[in-house]
């Protein structure tokens, strides 16, 4: 593994600033040795134990060392030969926010630059300093702005920060957010993704080309709302004014061949893309668009359903109908993509009763049934057009009881094959004019559901995180359900308590595929094995990730596809997982990998 050498990695200049471990050698050595002496349960060190150790060796006689400083210090001491130990294991024991990487992969979110959006949605914030729908004080948005919305800087610096605070960075899911991806020019899309791959490849190889990134030609920081003008007008004019009449800078463009070259390099890089996600609107998808985002290396699409009622979509000026969402789902599913839907209760015109009926359609109708779901109750933001409706008394946020009822009944209806990734958007309470400001609403709704004698069976409620598992208790379970293009088999390894150690999604289409490459094939849409993300190539005896569950899930999919009469199995592999599938016998096609079934 290349990555940065231990010494360089320990001293990365990141958001955490510069730290010189040599000045603290004695204390750091003592702290690391005490932590190493604790029994290794495979979990993060108990916070009270950690606090006791840190108190015994105060920084500069008073303060505590941060987790990032401890990890930087341990890497430095190991590189100096003062310690002989497994620095990655040490990092995993003291890492901050372990939950981030407990699902097996490290997520890395980057934002596109502010850019006009084809949507006119009344609930959408209009912060002209940010890509459409984001707010300047959201942490992810702040990071993006600090990095001038540049994809290379955002990716490289985030990798450095993750590594400094103890998260593995070898398997990364790149999540590209901001506005409507598909409305950006193709050359910008290629360039943006290429620069993310450049950063993954460079960071993994110990290269740092951040200083070569051109300076900020379009500073959005000073941009302010203007009376009577909308987001698109203000941002569009600002871009054109700074870029000689153009919306994109001359450097923000790349060719497919350039992207393909860096993708190939990423197949064996130390930081690999094991997933690439973009977000878009249903009416901006088509067979051609699906093929294009696949060519970018994309494996998952975040798509705003928002509502499954034409009346509500129209009232909120979404600009598309439910039929558009149906069509988009059909194309995405036929292309094997994982589908991450956004659904919004409390939209203009909705009631708690209509929302409950809407949610029924989400899983009751075979055309929808997303793999992942964000439940984002509509929030009232000062810059959104919804404010006008609120002032006129035509809309109000649900009260606590109404919202609790909608969210609780929704969570109870999520099937076991779906993962609810978020409930309530994580925006600052200062930005919410009126309505729910509790960010732990999911927890509150789950408790309410339990009080009513129910429970959540979605993936997130059941996934095995840092806990030990008894491998012998795991059984393979298959759930079949109908989709808009055929059948779907959801395979999962579960223990006796129904906790999930890994799963696979297999699409068994009954209609002719849009893409020639997929005709006659069953499609493996996802293979996911839980356990703390371990570095690629490192065996971890305590974790589930490298113990062959992935291979077993692929075998189960193969057998099912064969049994259903398919002649081949295609997989929508990420760039960084292509080698793994090759080892399992898959052969490279144009956009997918394929396994002939005898
Ligand atoms: S499409 Fe999305 S980003 Fe665009 S206005 Fe609608 S909600 Fe906002």
């Amino acid at each position: 593994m290349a990555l940065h050498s231990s010494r360089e990695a320990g001293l990365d200049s990141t958001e955490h600033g510069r730290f010189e471990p040599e000045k603290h050698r004695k204390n750091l050595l003592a702290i690391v040795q005490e932590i190493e002496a604790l029994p290794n349960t495979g979990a993060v060190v108990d916070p009270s134990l950690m606090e006791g150790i840190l108190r015994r060796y105060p920084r500069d006689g008073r303060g505590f060392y941060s987790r990032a400083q401890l990890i930087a210090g341990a890497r430095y001491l190991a590189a100096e030969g003062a310690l002989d130990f497994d620095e990655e294991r040490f990092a995993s024991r003291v890492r901050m926010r372990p939950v981030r990487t407990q699902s097996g992969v490290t997520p890395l979110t980057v934002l596109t630059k502010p850019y006009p959006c084809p949507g006119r949605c009344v609930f959408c914030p209009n912060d002209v300093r940010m890509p459409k729908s984001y707010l300047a004080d959201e942490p992810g948005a702040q990071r993006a702005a600090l990095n001038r919305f540049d994809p290379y800087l955002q990716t490289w610096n985030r990798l450095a920060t993750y590594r400094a605070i103890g998260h593995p960075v070898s398997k990364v899911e790149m999540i590209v957010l901001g506005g409507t991806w598909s409305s950006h020019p193709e050359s910008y899309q290629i360039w943006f993704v290429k620069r993310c791959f450049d950063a993954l490849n460079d960071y993994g190889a110990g290269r740092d080309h951040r200083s070569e990134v051109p300076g900020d030609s379009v500073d959005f920081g000073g941009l302010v709302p203007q009376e009577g003008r909308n987001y698109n007008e203000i941002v569009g004019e600002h871009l054109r004014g700074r870029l000689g009449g153009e919306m994109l800078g001359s450097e923000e463009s790349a060719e497919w061949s350039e992207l393909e070259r860096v993708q190939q390099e990423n197949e064996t890089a130390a930081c690999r893309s094991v997933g690439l996600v973009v977000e878009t609107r249903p009416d901006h998808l088509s067979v051609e668009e699906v093929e294009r985002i696949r060519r970018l290396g994309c494996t998952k699409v975040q798509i705003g359903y928002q509502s499954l009622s034409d009346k509500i979509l129209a009232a909120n000026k979404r600009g598309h109908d439910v039929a558009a969402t149906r069509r988009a789902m059909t194309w995405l599913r036929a292309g094997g993509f994982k589908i991450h839907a956004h659904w919004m209760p409390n939209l203009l015109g909705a009631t708690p009763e209509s929302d409950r009926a809407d949610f029924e359609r989400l899983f009751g109708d075979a055309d929808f049934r997303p793999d992942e779901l964000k439940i984002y109750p509509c929030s009232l933001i000062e810059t959104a057009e919804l404010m006008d409706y609120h002032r006129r008394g035509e809309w109000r946020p649900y009260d606590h009881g109404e919202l609790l009822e909608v969210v609780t009944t929704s969570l109870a209806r999520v099937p076991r094959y779906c993962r609810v990734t978020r409930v309530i958007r994580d925006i600052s309470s200062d930005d919410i004019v009126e309505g729910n400001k509790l960010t732990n609403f999911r927890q509150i709704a789950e408790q309410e559901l339990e009080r009513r004698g129910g429970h959540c069976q979605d993936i997130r409620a059941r996934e095995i995180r840092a806990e030990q598992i008894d491998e012998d208790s795991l059984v393979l379970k298959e759930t079949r359900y109908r989709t808009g293009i055929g059948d779907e088999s959801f395979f999962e390894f579960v223990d006796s308590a129904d906790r999930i150690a890994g799963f696979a999604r297999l699409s068994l289409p009954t209609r002719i595929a849009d893409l020639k490459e997929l005709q006659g094939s069953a499609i493996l849409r996802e293979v996911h094995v839980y356990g703390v993300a371990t570095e690629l190539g490192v065996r971890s005896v305590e974790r589930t990730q490298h113990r062959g569950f992935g291979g077993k899930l692929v075998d189960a999919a193969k057998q099912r596809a064969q049994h259903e009469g398919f002649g081949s199995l295609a997989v929508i592999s990420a760039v960084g997982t292509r080698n793994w599938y090759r080892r399992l016998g898959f052969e490279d096609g144009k956009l997918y990998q394929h396994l002939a079934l005898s």
Side-chain angles (χ1 to χ4, degrees), residues 13-24:
S13 174
T14 67
E15 294 146 42
H16 293 265
R18 203 156 176 83
F19 173 66
E20 293 179 47
E22 181 55 36
K23 291 187 180 161
H24 305 266

Side-chain angles (χ1 to χ4, degrees), residues 193 197 201 258-268 276 294-298 575 578:
V193 172
F197 274 107
N201 293 343
E258 296 173 86
L259 173 62
E260 280 152 14
R261 185 178 45 75
V262 294
Q263 284 177 334
Q264 209 164 4
E265 184 183 341
N266 192 254
E267 286 182 13
T268 51
L276 175 64
R294 178 63 199 137
R295 206 171 163 195
L296 291 168
C298 187
V575 168
R578 286 177 186 163

